[in-house]
Amino acid sequence: MAREAAARMPKEDLADVMSPVSAYGEGPPPPSRPEPVISNARLGLMMFIGAEVMFFAGLIGAFLVLRLSSEVWPPAGQPRLPVWITGFNTLVLLSSGVAMHRAWLAAAAREQVRLSGWLLVTGVLGTVFLTIQGYEWVRLIGFGLTMRSGLYGSTFYALIGLHGLHVLGALVWVGVVWMLARRGRFAAGHTVGVETCKMYWLFVVALWPVLYGLVYLY
Amino acid sequence: MSEAAASAHADHGAHEPAGFWSHYVFSTDHKMIGRQFLFLGLFMLIIGGILAMLIRWQLAWPETEVPGLGWVPEPHMYEGIIPPSTYNMLFTMHATIMIFFVVMPIMVGGFGNFLIPIMIGAKDMAFPLLNMLSFWVGAVAGVLMIASFFVVGGAASGGWTSYTPLTGAAVYTGVNWGINLWVLSLFVLAFSSLMGSINYITTLINMRAPGMTYFRLPLSIWSLFITAVLLLLALPVLTAALGMLFFDRVFATNFFLPAGGMPLLWQHLFWFFGHPEVYILVLPAMGVTSDILSVFSRKPIFGYRAMAYSMIALAFLSWIVWGHHMFVSGMNPLLGTAFMLTTMVIAVPSAIKTFNWLGTLWGGSIRFTVPLLFAIGFVSNFVIGGLSGVFMASTPVDIFIHDTYFIVAHFHYVVAGIIFAMFAAIYFWFPKMFGRMTNHTWGVVHFIGTYVFFNLTFFPMHFLGVGGHMRRIYNPMQYEYLEQFGDMNVFITISAFCLAIAQIPFVVNFIWSLFAGEKASENPWEANTLEWTAPSPPPHGNFATTPQVYRGPYEYSSPEVEEDWLPQTRPLGAAAATGH
Amino acid sequence: MMSWLPENVSTYGGQIDYLFYLIYYITAAALILVTVLMVAFLIIYRQREGRKAVYTHGNTALELTWTVIPAVILLMLSFMSISTWGEIKIYAPPAEYEVRVVGKQFNWDVFHPGPDGKLDTEDDIKIENEVHVPVDKVVHVQLQASDVIHSFFVPSFRVKQDAVPGRNILVWFEVTKPGKYELPCAELCGFGHSGMLGWVIVHTPEDFEKFLKENQEQG
């Protein structure tokens, strides 16, 4: 074969040589692609949550380093964080996780009314959480704890604020899924939309006790 | 671009999007997005290169007028003379652009997008729309970065490492919005990379063609897979650090400022991201080099599994070596010892790769194509860059060479050396990307010029470093002990200018071949991997029917067939007889 | 390449230079080996009519060899580095003379102890950009920074240490040869980074007495 010459100067007629090898050539139809173990949407979201975990790991790592290198914590003259009311708020957010799980069970059982009901409960509990957080923030700012009041203030607002932003984003997502559920979007059993929303919601819920423990209790 | 082959296959049922905007601009086709990333990177390469030339001018002929730049307004330049503040902007932006907007878009964004689906036998990425967003978000980041040149105070000037407290408050550099935009741009870019990496990993796990097991993946795909994992997990850490830096700058918090905060915390966070980032840059280069060496040696890659495992080892180890950037930073010296040990260990997988590349060449039937030459160039430079890394891994030696030109020489041999793998990949896949061949002769001229002047530029920098020449200094003539290096700096600068001029053949070849190059056949290099079974350029959807994979990607010169290549899709023996 | 190394005048600089040379010879040998092999393979195994490439997927014994040999060499280098590193950065000998150097944009403020031999007393001698030390004495430098990070670099001593604001970092050296040595800042510290240059003036014992006396009179 004049293979080497062909490699140096590819010609149109090389296609003839290639055709039996090509996927376009004749031959048996290839078997279909195997069904993936984890669907694309779920896998993609797991990856996204992995990235989020690294993001918060960076923040928490920074917080711990700064916290451990400070002799007095919280610094003198700074207001104490509201442990009890936030503890209650933690329960609110955790119960929203339970509600989300119930919504997912309803979606799997194709019970549309219960699905949108539990989604609504999730959303309301999430909103309550954010409202209490916002109220506490206003009070803390009133007591003089701001981003600028040293490390105590800046780590508090950065960590808790960024978590709050994530809750807000997840809340919008729950809202969208809720509206879709009311329109019967998941009636046909195509529930990946509910499932991904549940995964993300459970992530922001599960993150909270960690932050609560580190920032409020530790 | 030739769409003739594409339209010939349109009747296979692949949906061909119509219209200029949906085809060339807001395309969701992975191949178009790959080309977009490639062009973005090449455009930014020109900007980054011009910045480098200005840096070199200043170092060779300090405080003299740069020819042709007398029009640049004060305070950026004074009648063509570069002031120190502008010099700091030049090297900061040169590094930032080259790392984040040239190597990452071309190697990860461009070839990642173009190659992953087609080399694993998929029609497209798992999330095509997310893929399009990834490019456009990346482009916005690029616009923000370029825009920072034009705000009051100029662009970022705190070095690409952006050490705090220098960058923590505008007062220390005199640059306010320049650094803010720098932070925002990288923040936005992180989203682009996040979308890209999620897409790559999902596609690679879920969408491989039947028979394409993990250990039948070409090494370029393995490298992109590992790169995507590193991107996914490393960039969020940078994002978190950038967020805190932004708070420090804009809301006057003090995470990284000495008043309450910790300046070294930034360095820890930055390098925790930064060292995986080095492997994000170099792994794809290693991957495409492995593929190209195997194709043109007409030989299976030597030690395929060792190559894959060594990349995995690099990826794991890259998380625990960050402290070697900080031996003299004031970090606890005991940590320095620990980081030296991990750093010495990470040199081993790199050595394995080098020897396996040599093993691949051994006994081959080497075809001296332009991609092969550039791949050899990459290996040759990587060897120098890898070996010079041993000097700085040794903590006592690093005391002396830290922050000198020895470091500059080292990372240019590694990171700027990636440009050789990049050119190898461009020349290799150009026929598949654009349906035309590039010119061989001009490619060889381009290679010789690039290789010679690259080494003449960067090798003498080792000497400067050994002489104690600091990096990031505006005028070496201010130091008595560096006066002896005046001539060498002139030599390096002239070499650097020649290196830039040596890129003209590439530009001409690229543009000429794009429109008038010889039409490429399906498989001009007689390669085994799946992309060469699709038309050149492949249509939307790549394959008419899902390919079936029977073997690994490197079955060259197999005794089972008469030809010296054996495509992954070709059935043999029992499989061919039974129709499977 | 190594001939560019500035003359070493500190007690531990020789150990650094020894490692530097050792790594230089090892890496140079490795570079020559790889380059020769690569060029040889490229010439010997170029494409020729009628010869097919060797069909092999690897060789485990060979691969193990070239994994183990670099690993052993690198570990050996690590262990050789550890003791030198410890001596320079961890186990400083007791001070025979102590100064404080504070980096600021874009100067070194140097505080010498006065006749009482102690810092932070009224007779401290503050000089900009000049560190006066006696020869053959263990000198401790309390390294500080008042604004951004600077780096205390004396090429002839093989000393480099970042000065971090808010920290007091100990640097020590013992110089064996009197003279005037450059002290550049090695960490980017702003637009005036280049040219942020001090001097370490190493005095003979007699000169050093004179220096102390002169400054005492001025003070």
Side-chain angles (χ1 to χ4, degrees):
Chain A
M1 283 180 76
R3 211 172 45 244
E4 281 118 0
R8 287 209 185 116
M9 286 198 304
K11 292 200 173 79
E12 297 293 332
D13 60 1
L14 195 67
D16 297 333
V17 186
M18 295 303 300
S19 57
V21 193
S22 160
Y24 292 91
E26 286 157 290
S32 60
R33 207 182 297 275
E35 197 58 33
V37 182
I38 306 171
S39 71
N40 285 355
R42 275 197 289 168
L43 192 59
L45 194 71
M46 284 159 81
M47 234 83 75
F48 179 62
I49 290 174
E52 291 269 43
V53 167
M54 286 307 283
F55 176 73
F56 276 98
L59 289 173
I60 290 171
F63 168 76
L64 282 176
V65 168
L66 294 169
R67 160 87 173 75
L68 291 171
S69 62
S70 304
E71 278 160 24
V72 190
W73 194 273
Q78 297 283 6
R80 295 292 167 273
L81 297 175
V83 171
W84 291 107
I85 182 80
T86 312
F88 168 75
N89 215 4
T90 306
L91 293 179
V92 171
L93 194 63
L94 288 176
S95 50
S96 81
V98 177
M100 189 41 136
H101 186 65
R102 300 296 292 262
W104 158 240
L105 290 177
R110 302 195 188 187
E111 294 177 42
Q112 299 310 305
V113 180
R114 273 183 53 214
L115 167 62
S116 46
W118 280 114
L119 281 173
L120 187 63
V121 174
T122 309
V124 169
L125 287 171
T127 312
V128 168
F129 173 82
L130 277 187
T131 312
I132 295 178
Q133 286 287 87
Y135 175 72
E136 287 303 326
W137 275 37
V138 172
R139 271 167 41 102
L140 283 171
I141 292 168
F143 290 139
L145 185 73
T146 65
M147 281 291 267
R148 298 181 188 211
S149 24
L151 278 182
Y152 190 56
S154 30
T155 50
F156 171 77
Y157 286 108
L159 272 173
I160 305 303
L162 283 168
H163 176 263
L165 273 180
H166 279 76
V167 176
L168 190 65
L171 207 53
V172 171
W173 193 347
V174 171
V176 170
V177 173
W178 176 65
M179 289 206 297
L180 290 175
R182 281 175 31 112
R183 288 185 200 158
R185 174 74 168 267
F186 309 108
H190 200 75
T191 53
V192 72
V194 182
E195 196 188 349
T196 46
C197 179
K198 177 194 97 167
M199 286 163 67
Y200 193 67
W201 186 262
L202 290 187
F203 163 70
V204 295
V205 169
L207 183 63
W208 175 252
V210 178
L211 294 178
Y212 176 65
L214 283 172
V215 176
Y216 288 81
L217 301 181
Y218 175 51
Chain B
M1 255 169 279
S2 157
E3 297 296 325
S7 56
H9 282 277
D11 55 349
H12 280 282
H15 174 66
E16 191 78 15
F20 174 81
W21 286 94
S22 61
H23 188 78
Y24 290 107
V25 184
F26 296 109
S27 171
T28 55
D29 179 7
H30 72 98
K31 296 179 294 298
M32 184 54 72
I33 295 168
R35 290 179 204 130
Q36 288 172 332
F37 268 116
L38 175 67
F39 285 118
L40 172 72
L42 289 175
F43 171 72
M44 295 299 255
L45 177 61
I46 296 172
I47 295 178
I50 290 171
L51 298 179
M53 295 305 118
L54 292 174
I55 294 169
R56 281 317 316 176
W57 179 275
Q58 165 63 24
L59 288 172
W61 301 287
E63 297 173 59
T64 56
E65 194 188 329
V66 185
L69 285 186
W71 53 272
V72 179
E74 295 179 13
H76 298 298
M77 275 194 178
Y78 294 87
E79 290 169 359
I81 294 172
I82 302 170
S85 51
T86 301
Y87 180 78
N88 291 356
M89 287 171 204
L90 291 177
F91 66 69
T92 302
M93 295 303 279
H94 165 71
T96 307
I97 286 175
M98 288 301 197
I99 290 166
F100 292 101
F101 293 98
V102 177
V103 177
M104 279 169 76
I106 293 182
M107 298 307 288
V108 185
F111 287 104
N113 262 306
F114 188 83
L115 297 179
I116 288 175
I118 199 166
M119 283 179 103
I120 63 170
K123 286 186 182 298
D124 207 319
M125 286 283 183
F127 311 107
L129 198 65
L130 201 63
N131 209 11
M132 180 194 84
L133 268 179
S134 164
F135 173 75
W136 284 107
V137 169
V140 168
V143 170
L144 283 175
M145 193 56 82
I146 297 295
S148 73
F149 281 110
F150 302 102
V151 295
V152 178
S157 65
W160 87 278
T161 50
S162 199
Y163 276 10
T164 53
L166 182 63
T167 54
V171 59
Y172 295 130
T173 51
V175 178
N176 188 17
W177 270 96
I179 298 184
N180 290 352
L181 280 176
W182 183 90
V183 171
L184 284 174
S185 168
L186 293 186
F187 198 83
V188 171
L189 188 70
F191 283 93
S192 163
S193 297
L194 179 66
M195 290 187 258
S197 53
I198 288 175
N199 228 332
Y200 292 4
I201 299 171
T202 310
T203 307
L204 273 162
I205 291 178
N206 277 354
M207 300 180 64
R208 284 168 289 123
M212 182 61 96
T213 59
Y214 285 107
F215 283 104
R216 283 179 181 171
L217 289 174
L219 286 171
S220 49
I221 298 303
W222 257 109
S223 71
L224 287 162
F225 193 0
I226 297 165
T227 298
V229 175
L230 287 179
L231 264 179
L232 181 78
L233 299 178
L235 270 183
V237 180
L238 177 70
T239 315
L242 287 172
M244 286 185 272
L245 182 61
F246 195 76
F247 286 154
D248 274 3
R249 294 183 61 83
V250 177
F251 302 120
T253 57
N254 41 26
F255 290 104
F256 304 126
L257 297 176
M262 284 179 75
L264 284 192
L265 178 62
W266 166 266
Q267 294 185 28
H268 280 290
L269 288 170
F270 182 85
W271 288 118
F272 185 74
F273 144 81
H275 210 80
E277 168 72 15
V278 173
Y279 290 92
I280 288 167
L281 300 175
V282 83
L283 281 175
M286 291 173 158
V288 299
T289 300
S290 306
D291 275 11
I292 290 168
L293 286 183
S294 177
V295 170
F296 295 112
S297 301
R298 315 307 293 166
K299 247 191 102 213
I301 191 86
F302 201 88
Y304 172 86
R305 290 215 175 207
M307 292 299 252
Y309 288 135
S310 64
M311 284 198 281
I312 296 170
L314 285 174
F316 271 104
L317 290 169
S318 72
W319 294 100
I320 52 167
V321 296
W322 81 89
H324 67 211
H325 298 270
M326 301 170 60
F327 285 151
V328 298
S329 67
M331 177 181 75
N332 187 333
L334 290 170
L335 281 176
T337 309
F339 280 119
M340 169 173 61
L341 284 168
T342 56
T343 304
M344 290 287 189
V345 171
I346 206 172
V348 176
S350 304
I352 295 174
K353 298 197 80 73
T354 306
F355 287 120
N356 276 336
W357 285 325
L358 282 181
T360 306
L361 291 175
W362 172 82
S365 174
I366 300 167
R367 297 179 182 175
F368 284 92
T369 59
V370 180
L372 178 96
L373 292 174
F374 274 100
I376 296 286
F378 171 75
V379 175
S380 148
N381 292 329
F382 181 74
V383 169
I384 296 177
L387 288 171
S388 65
V390 178
F391 289 82
M392 53 212 69
S394 166
T395 42
V397 180
D398 187 67
I399 295 174
F400 181 71
I401 57 178
H402 180 79
D403 268 335
T404 66
Y405 260 79
F406 201 89
I407 309 288
V408 178
H410 163 71
F411 65 66
H412 278 98
Y413 264 98
V414 180
V415 177
I418 292 170
I419 213 167
F420 282 83
M422 186 189 97
F423 283 132
I426 290 175
Y427 283 108
F428 185 64
W429 279 293
F430 192 92
K432 192 52 65 181
M433 279 186 142
F434 303 108
R436 289 176 189 273
M437 304 299 289
T438 51
N439 182 291
H440 178 80
T441 313
W442 282 109
V444 173
V445 170
H446 175 217
F447 168 73
I448 293 173
T450 307
Y451 186 77
V452 168
F453 291 114
F454 181 93
N455 280 287
L456 290 181
T457 302
F458 294 113
F459 204 83
M461 289 186 184
H462 291 111
F463 308 153
L464 297 181
V466 173
H469 191 310
M470 287 83 66
R471 65 191 282 204
R472 292 172 171 176
I473 51 170
Y474 166 68
N475 183 355
M477 292 301 123
Q478 290 167 317
Y479 304 87
E480 272 180 24
Y481 75 109
L482 296 181
E483 277 170 10
Q484 53 173 332
F485 289 117
D487 293 342
M488 198 181 288
N489 266 323
V490 172
F491 176 81
I492 292 174
T493 296
I494 291 171
S495 305
F497 289 165
C498 293
L499 179 61
I501 291 166
Q503 305 314 306
I504 292 173
F506 170 72
V507 176
V508 173
N509 195 354
F510 191 95
I511 294 172
W512 180 82
S513 304
L514 210 53
F515 297 104
E518 191 188 348
K519 282 259 191 330
S521 63
E522 251 179 27
N523 190 0
W525 309 117
E526 299 176 326
N528 287 346
T529 40
L530 296 188
E531 77 272 30
W532 303 105
T533 64
S536 302
H540 202 69
N542 301 340
F543 305 100
T545 51
T546 307
Q548 163 78 32
V549 175
Y550 293 97
R551 64 185 61 77
Y554 299 116
E555 294 303 298
Y556 293 100
S557 302
S558 162
E560 291 187 67
V561 285
E562 194 205 331
E563 315 83 15
D564 64 0
W565 82 100
L566 179 51
Q568 289 187 278
T569 50
R570 180 161 152 200
L572 272 186
T578 59
H580 249 275
Chain C
M1 180 168 101
M2 301 304 286
S3 59
W4 296 101
L5 205 58
E7 186 197 1
N8 166 52
V9 294
S10 76
T11 47
Y12 54 62
Q15 284 165 277
I16 290 180
D17 289 357
Y18 172 75
L19 281 167
F20 208 157
Y21 274 95
L22 181 69
I23 296 174
Y24 171 67
Y25 291 129
I26 292 174
T27 52
L31 177 63
I32 291 168
L33 175 81
V34 171
T35 309
V36 167
L37 283 178
M38 197 159 79
V39 172
F41 289 171
L42 287 175
I43 294 169
I44 299 169
Y45 300 110
R46 66 186 183 279
Q47 183 183 25
R48 274 176 295 183
E49 216 44 56
R51 194 179 60 81
K52 213 170 171 178
V54 179
Y55 179 73
T56 170
H57 285 91
N59 180 324
T60 313
L62 203 57
E63 285 174 56
L64 274 178
T65 315
W66 66 50
T67 307
V68 170
I69 292 178
V72 168
I73 294 175
L74 289 166
L75 283 179
M76 184 197 79
L77 286 176
S78 303
F79 287 114
M80 293 178 74
S81 301
I82 286 175
S83 57
T84 308
W85 173 252
E87 194 174 314
I88 299 169
K89 290 281 180 187
I90 304 174
Y91 311 107
E96 293 172 294
Y97 182 68
E98 197 164 21
V99 292
R100 175 176 301 140
V101 176
V102 182
K104 64 166 200 223
Q105 287 180 330
F106 299 97
N107 271 316
W108 299 106
D109 279 345
V110 187
F111 297 86
H112 302 79
D116 61 354
K118 284 181 193 135
L119 282 166
D120 298 314
T121 52
E122 278 195 0
D123 62 351
D124 284 2
I125 304 161
K126 180 188 164 185
I127 306 175
E128 261 193 8
N129 290 332
E130 277 183 22
V131 189
H132 293 265
V133 298
V135 72
D136 292 326
K137 290 270 192 288
V138 175
V139 177
H140 278 203
V141 177
Q142 295 180 11
L143 189 59
Q144 301 176 356
S146 58
D147 37 38
V148 302
I149 296 176
H150 302 272
S151 192
F152 181 93
F153 180 32
V154 190
S156 305
F157 300 178
R158 310 290 186 262
V159 164
K160 189 181 286 127
Q161 175 59 56
D162 285 5
V164 183
R167 297 265 306 270
N168 185 26
I169 298 172
L170 172 70
V171 179
W172 77 274
F173 51 80
E174 183 182 342
V175 189
T176 55
K177 187 177 160 188
K180 207 171 166 221
Y181 304 98
E182 271 168 291
L183 164 59
C185 172
E187 183 70 68
L188 178 65
C189 59
F191 67 86
H193 165 58
S194 181
M196 174 170 169
L197 177 64
W199 294 88
V200 182
I201 295 138
V202 182
H203 296 279
T204 56
E206 307 84 66
D207 273 358
F208 194 64
E209 287 298 318
K210 222 163 77 189
F211 156 76
L212 286 180
K213 208 169 272 169
E214 275 170 15
N215 281 280
Q216 202 185 339
E217 281 158 15
Q218 284 169 14

